[in-house]
Amino acid sequence: GGATSQDRLTSAVWDLFDPDAVDDWDVARAFFPSTFKLACQVGGAGPTSFLGHLVKHMCGFSKMSEMSQFWTSAMDEIRWHWKNLKPIPRIPREEAPDLSACMLHQKLMLLNCCIARKDRLESRKKNPQQEASAPSSAALKDGTKRERKGHLKIIDGLQ
């Protein structure tokens, strides 16, 4: 027989949150430039992005109850990713939100930035000796060096 509704739901959620998945948007853009233009004009997310895959799986369900269950499972999984400091797949990990994308994609990009920042903060709390201090000098474009003024490490209370 065919796969049950629960099997399809589980498979869809696993595919959506596959940690080894990458956003192949650059490949799609190279082979299908008109798709890229359309996505930019519409202000959506790329077809290979997290939202593209979410929509693909959502369209695979025929009943509203299945769609609702899939959405709820996806939101539970996003909460798990936040709690466990795991980046959401197919979303850039530490890039400023793409303002040409839809608001939901921008929010997911921001969430991945927050996850990365929180992960760095947690790592510093666990290993304060390994705290990365800011460089004491910087090389300018013309090759001259300037001494850094200010604090050489994170200021207590601003973590």
Side-chain angles (χ1 to χ4, degrees):
T4 66
S5 176
Q6 187 61 43
D7 291 342
R8 288 187 302 131
L9 173 70
T10 302
S11 177
V13 171
W14 282 359
D15 179 63
L16 186 62
F17 288 92
D18 179 2
D20 298 325
V22 292
D23 183 356
D24 293 332
W25 186 224
D26 291 333
V27 174
R29 185 182 345 193
F31 287 103
F32 305 103
S34 60
T35 301
F36 173 71
K37 279 185 193 174
L38 179 64
C40 289
Q41 291 169 347
V42 171
T48 61
S49 71
F50 178 85
L51 287 180
H53 282 269
L54 182 117
V55 168
K56 175 187 79 168
H57 288 300
M58 188 70 78
C59 290
F61 297 110
S62 57
K63 297 177 186 168
M64 188 63 79
S65 60
E66 293 172 332
M67 292 178 198
S68 174
Q69 192 174 9
F70 176 65
W71 180 258
T72 301
S73 296
M75 293 304 104
D76 289 344
E77 199 65 26
I78 287 175
R79 279 187 210 91
W80 182 89
H81 278 253
W82 168 254
K83 183 179 175 185
N84 292 285
L85 304 177
K86 303 290 182 195
I88 298 167
R90 297 183 181 97
I91 298 285
R93 284 177 169 60
E94 288 192 72
E95 289 181 19
D98 178 3
L99 300 179
S100 69
C102 66
M103 189 61 71
L104 183 54
H105 188 72
Q106 291 178 39
K107 299 279 186 189
L108 290 169
M109 290 180 78
L110 190 58
L111 182 60
N112 261 2
C113 287
C114 292
I115 288 170
R117 183 181 172 108
K118 187 175 179 187
D119 188 34
R120 284 193 304 274
L121 181 62
E122 294 294 321
S123 295
R124 282 196 297 258
K125 284 182 180 178
K126 288 177 185 173
N127 299 321
Q129 298 88 313
Q130 292 181 334
E131 182 175 310
S133 61
S136 60
S137 64
L140 301 178
K141 287 183 182 178
D142 64 4
T144 60
K145 285 199 168 198
R146 288 279 172 103
E147 288 300 312
R148 183 177 193 274
K149 297 178 182 176
H151 301 278
L152 296 178
K153 64 178 195 152
I154 295 176
I155 301 170
D156 291 334
L158 292 180
Q159 299 175 0

